[in-house]
Amino acid sequence: MRRQKKFYAWGYADEDLSADEIKPWEAELAERYRVPGFDVTPAPKPEEITLRKPRVEVPSALQSIVQTDHLTRLEHSYGKAGFDTWRMFMRSVPNPPDAVAFPENEQDIVRVLDWCDSIGAKAIPYGGGSSVVKGIEPQASFDKVVTISMRHMDKILEVDEVSQAARIQGGIYGPAIEDALRNTPLTMRHYMQAYRCSTLGGWIATRSGGHYATLYTHIDDFVESTRMITPAGALETRRLPGSGAGPSPDRMVLGSEGILGIITEAWVRLRMKPTFRSSASVRFKDFFTGAEAVRGITQAGLYPANCRLLEAREALPGIPWINEEAVLVLAFESADHPLDAWMKRALEICADHGGVADQSDPDDANAHRSGAAGAWRNRFIRAPHYGEHAVARGILSSTFETAMTWERVPDFHAKITKITRDTIKRVTGREGTVTCRFTHVYPDGPCLYFTFGGMLDKAKGLEQFMEVLSTCTVATVEHGGTTTHHHAVGRFHRPFYDKQRPELFARALRGAKRELDPKGMMNPGVLIDP
């Protein structure tokens, strides 16, 4: 039996935070934002939300794989961003899909797309539903909408242990990949915060960023070949370790966000399961001192698996909010060789910048779960579950991420931080908070991941939330960064992406869409207008 997800927030319906997690979190935020307590809005129930009737009639030949019931349509209406949860708590779902298809093979996808074509419906591909950018959300302008869920196309079809790769269907969830590889020496190890509730096809379509902080940062680095069903036919690329034969067709599939077709399977690179690990946490007097150490590590070509620089007040329990320290979570892993030399050199670089290390026992396989690294890891894993509780209490809590080259990081960080603080004060009338961390780092710059918070007026909470988030996001582009490093474009980032993307490239992308999706039925409004 399929485990039911929450339709209104992150995670599964049978899980939630415990009282022991909620109480100290509430107390911490009440003190931080100087409020006596919180009025808690109950989570919505399906029957409290009215959906318009389906505007399509499912033909008898498709009724076994197409559903139009209330809960299924509700579950596929929004993603899992903070603004999605706000709207669910408002019991407002004005534009649900009319039907949801669950194809079991490629021929089913073709049949569903032919049906969409015949009735003039838009088709929205759906993986795990973890989008935080309105990537799977029907627009009000759509007359008819069929969401196509890849839930049943979730198998590993082949494993090539010689070349260390696997052919995997697009609808498989992250944990199922590792479960299927459990009896092999191989692993994919592409983890992200949405790992449990997202799919391989979704990762490829949105160019997801995984847990590797260096070298293998995006799903791009794992893809060997792809297969996509488009309204014009099947597009399958040749499986190769590399090729210089013209522009890569896989690069057109990667990041296509459902506007060209549905990713049904891919060959992805695997690696041997790591047997050697070395981890440490390093304290720095402030964030920019730590940033210089991180730059030194990345430019030394050491390629740690984890190299995340965090503001201590964001990452560690019990740190006063006025504390300016930063902590670097550092880890190396290998299936081939000990890592002492790599860690030693990285810590030397940290020491050159005043970093004080707390290195783990090299023989402790669970060292990454303890100390500063463990505290951050636990907060990171549990963080999405707090989203619905923040909304229920009128707490402003969200993030945005971008990237910048090293020489511009201090100025860029200062400007974006100030804009965020000023915007929260202007919109809410209260002081808010903003912190930053590096999630991925490159020799030429980091991904800066900002977290902001404050208190909203519940009566206009969604409006205030969107104004803060939009203002901060557009600022990242106006000051030279990217609108997103790994969260995809979707419909939320689309206005900012339009400012970032060269117009001539947009015209070329429209040309590709005309060839693969002649009638413009696939996920309109994402990336480009047809």
Side-chain angles (χ1 to χ4, degrees):
M1 179 178 292
R2 187 181 74 92
R3 190 179 180 192
Q4 180 66 46
K5 288 183 188 173
K6 291 179 181 174
F7 69 87
Y8 59 88
W10 170 259
Y12 291 94
D14 59 359
E15 65 181 0
D16 199 356
L17 297 174
S18 67
D20 290 340
E21 291 174 296
I22 290 291
K23 287 181 180 178
W25 170 78
E26 272 191 326
E28 178 186 344
L29 291 179
E31 180 181 4
R32 184 185 305 172
Y33 299 128
R34 300 187 178 124
V35 295
F38 301 99
D39 174 34
V40 182
T41 301
K45 298 177 181 178
E47 60 271 19
E48 295 174 342
I49 300 176
T50 301
L51 301 182
R52 68 178 172 214
K53 294 181 179 180
R55 297 167 296 181
V56 301
E57 186 174 338
V58 183
S60 58
L62 292 176
Q63 287 180 1
S64 63
I65 61 168
V66 177
Q67 297 179 19
T68 59
D69 63 277
H70 184 85
L71 183 58
T72 298
R73 295 172 64 216
L74 193 56
E75 184 181 350
H76 292 81
S77 294
Y78 292 144
K80 294 295 183 284
F83 47 73
D84 297 317
T85 301
W86 268 99
R87 289 182 291 175
M88 282 294 190
F89 268 72
M90 293 167 65
R91 280 66 172 169
S92 175
V93 186
N95 300 304
D98 296 287
V100 182
F102 297 92
E104 298 183 1
N105 51 54
E106 289 186 352
Q107 187 54 44
D108 283 348
I109 294 175
V110 172
R111 292 164 59 211
V112 172
L113 290 180
D114 286 346
W115 174 49
C116 291
D117 182 24
S118 70
I119 63 174
K122 307 303 182 187
I124 299 181
Y126 186 100
S130 63
S131 172
V132 292
V133 294
K134 300 187 178 182
I136 55 174
E137 177 180 328
Q139 291 183 304
S141 60
F142 298 170
D143 291 332
K144 304 182 187 74
V145 181
V146 177
T147 293
I148 303 176
S149 169
M150 294 295 288
R151 178 189 299 170
H152 297 310
M153 297 181 67
D154 61 350
K155 308 294 189 298
I156 290 187
L157 303 175
E158 295 182 60
V159 176
D160 176 354
E161 293 194 22
V162 175
S163 297
Q164 297 186 357
R167 182 165 69 98
I168 306 177
Q169 290 183 310
I172 194 169
Y173 279 68
I177 295 176
E178 298 302 330
D179 287 345
L181 295 172
R182 196 171 303 281
N183 294 326
T184 76
L186 301 170
T187 177
M188 186 173 176
R189 290 184 75 70
H190 185 67
Y191 306 135
M192 74 297 293
Q193 204 169 44
Y195 170 74
R196 289 194 310 136
C197 297
S198 58
T199 64
L200 174 64
W203 301 344
I204 294 171
T206 60
R207 296 187 65 196
S208 74
H211 82 295
Y212 285 113
T214 68
L215 199 59
Y216 309 110
T217 59
H218 281 76
I219 191 64
D220 309 35
D221 303 309
F222 294 79
V223 169
E224 197 175 60
S225 71
T226 53
R227 181 172 170 84
M228 181 169 68
I229 300 301
T230 80
L235 174 64
E236 183 171 7
T237 67
R238 181 169 293 191
R239 184 189 169 206
L240 293 166
S243 172
S248 167
D250 287 315
R251 291 287 171 179
M252 187 167 67
V253 177
L254 285 154
S256 57
E257 300 195 26
I259 71 165
L260 303 178
I262 298 175
I263 298 163
T264 57
E265 61 182 65
W267 275 96
V268 297
R269 298 178 177 93
L270 306 176
R271 62 203 69 245
M272 299 294 287
K273 293 171 183 172
T275 52
F276 297 92
R277 293 183 177 88
S278 182
S279 62
S281 57
V282 186
R283 293 282 190 115
F284 294 92
K285 66 177 183 179
D286 57 46
F287 189 77
F288 293 108
T289 305
E292 280 299 296
V294 171
R295 181 172 69 86
I297 291 170
T298 61
Q299 293 178 347
L302 296 172
Y303 300 120
N306 199 354
C307 191
R308 284 172 166 78
L309 182 67
L310 318 156
E311 292 191 27
R313 58 190 168 191
E314 174 188 329
L316 304 178
I319 297 293
W321 198 253
I322 59 172
N323 188 297
E324 294 295 330
E325 285 186 307
V327 59
L328 174 63
V329 178
L330 186 63
F332 292 86
E333 61 180 44
S334 172
D336 179 73
H337 51 265
L339 299 155
D340 296 351
W342 283 261
M343 179 60 81
K344 179 182 177 182
R345 178 61 191 134
L347 293 180
E348 287 173 351
I349 294 171
C350 291
D352 289 343
H353 294 87
V356 179
D358 176 19
Q359 189 171 4
S360 66
D361 180 353
D363 297 321
D364 183 2
N366 294 310
H368 63 293
R369 299 176 185 270
S370 60
W376 168 78
R377 179 182 182 276
N378 292 337
R379 282 199 171 197
F380 179 78
I381 290 172
R382 299 297 282 170
H385 296 281
Y386 286 91
E388 64 183 276
H389 297 282
V391 171
R393 290 159 177 78
I395 297 168
L396 173 66
S397 178
S398 191
T399 65
F400 58 96
E401 31 78 54
T402 183
M404 182 50 65
T405 52
W406 286 116
E407 86 282 3
R408 292 182 287 170
V409 163
D411 181 63
F412 181 79
H413 177 279
K415 287 177 177 175
I416 299 302
T417 298
K418 184 178 188 307
I419 288 169
T420 304
R421 285 185 176 139
D422 290 350
T423 301
I424 293 171
K425 180 66 181 293
R426 174 178 60 81
V427 171
T428 70
R430 296 168 174 263
E431 297 290 342
T433 57
V434 56
T435 57
C436 183
R437 64 183 187 265
F438 295 167
T439 61
H440 302 79
V441 289
Y442 307 89
D444 49 345
C447 165
L448 298 99
Y449 198 109
F450 291 89
T451 299
F452 61 89
M455 288 301 302
L456 300 172
D457 177 349
K458 271 194 181 184
K460 49 185 177 181
L462 177 62
E463 176 186 338
Q464 292 180 329
F465 183 104
M466 294 305 296
E467 186 172 355
V468 174
L469 181 60
S470 297
T471 301
C472 296
T473 304
V474 75
T476 63
V477 176
E478 290 177 343
H479 290 280
T482 174
T483 188
T484 177
H485 173 267
H486 57 266
H487 280 169
V489 174
R491 295 174 177 83
F492 171 71
H493 284 288
R494 172 67 195 283
F496 322 124
Y497 175 65
D498 283 355
K499 296 176 183 292
Q500 174 181 338
R501 175 204 60 215
E503 179 53 32
L504 191 57
F505 176 74
R507 287 162 55 187
L509 189 54
R510 290 187 195 106
K513 184 170 176 65
R514 280 194 299 270
E515 290 297 319
L516 298 177
D517 179 23
K519 295 186 179 180
M521 74 166 71
M522 301 300 305
N523 213 14
V526 173
L527 296 179
I528 55 169
D529 292 321

